[in-house]
Amino acid sequence: MAARDGLVQSAIDLVRRNGVAGTGVANLLDHSGLSRRTIYLNFPGGKSELITEATRVAGRAMTTLIETFSKDTEPEQTIASFADAWKQVVESSDFLAGCPIVAAALGRSESPAAADAAGAAFDDWERALESRLRAENIDPDTACSLATTVIATIEGAVVMSLAKHSTEPLDRVGRHLTELVRAHIRPTG
């Protein structure tokens, strides 16, 4: 299981940096320090199966993070924490690594199953955030729409931050998304 987990973590890191097409089996072997045989023992479908599993694992990790950010805090803080988490990722990678879920979505021609897993991950993130927004007495349809807006905007800001070599896009959208959500919270009672 350690070898499998190591391969998955290597795939996540490499896809974040190189995309799906730019992550080859040789890169995975070098990065993980494991043998070619280990890949095919754990992932008989090869690179595509490994990238798909890495996308699922990364997606679940972010869903858990969103749910953790949402516990016992205002929704504005949840959004700020989500944006701050991405700021840490891009800064700690010197603006070389973004979201593996976006990379998997963009890699559909190389791995359709990974792109499908990316779509499922985005759905999970939206549901987690929507649930938190509904708990603030936001209309269900509006909560759903706001969750989509938040996820799409922050993910777009991650891409912009990488391109601009600056976290300013994440700072800007984080601030305005919290204002947007705050405008839709209805008082209880």
Side-chain angles (χ1 to χ4, degrees):
M1 197 56 135
R4 181 180 174 84
D5 293 343
L7 285 168
V8 167
Q9 289 307 311
S10 287
I12 291 169
D13 190 46
L14 290 171
V15 167
R16 286 177 55 227
R17 293 172 182 276
N18 306 326
V20 175
T23 300
V25 172
N27 303 107
L28 289 162
L29 297 174
D30 287 344
H31 191 273
S32 68
L34 297 167
S35 71
R36 184 174 295 272
R37 181 175 182 269
T38 304
I39 288 180
Y40 295 102
L41 284 173
N42 287 282
F43 299 97
K47 174 187 160 182
S48 182
E49 183 181 345
L50 171 55
I51 299 297
T52 300
E53 180 60 16
T55 303
R56 286 186 192 112
V57 168
R60 284 191 302 263
M62 184 55 77
T63 300
T64 299
L65 196 59
I66 292 169
E67 290 169 346
T68 300
F69 289 156
S70 297
K71 284 193 188 319
D72 304 321
T73 188
E74 299 296 319
E76 298 97 311
Q77 186 57 47
T78 299
I79 293 164
S81 295
F82 188 45
D84 287 344
W86 279 118
K87 282 174 52 177
Q88 276 187 312
V89 167
V90 298
E91 286 178 325
S92 69
S93 72
D94 197 27
F95 299 88
L96 296 173
C99 179
I101 307 307
V102 169
L106 295 173
R108 182 168 292 283
S109 64
E110 188 83 9
S111 180
D116 291 344
F122 286 135
D123 286 343
D124 290 344
W125 299 358
E126 288 176 289
R127 276 191 292 276
L129 189 53
E130 176 188 355
S131 174
R132 178 65 189 97
L133 296 172
R134 289 179 71 170
E136 289 298 317
N137 202 28
I138 294 177
D139 173 76
D141 289 338
T142 302
C144 179
S145 180
L146 282 172
T148 301
T149 300
V150 168
I151 300 300
T153 303
I154 289 177
E155 289 297 305
V158 169
V159 173
M160 290 177 68
S161 290
L162 293 173
K164 293 179 169 210
H165 208 264
S166 168
T167 59
E168 198 169 292
L170 281 161
D171 292 330
R172 287 179 181 159
V173 302
R175 182 174 54 251
H176 289 292
L177 287 171
T178 58
E179 293 169 354
L180 176 64
V181 168
R182 193 177 306 121
H184 289 279
I185 296 174
R186 298 180 302 194
T188 56

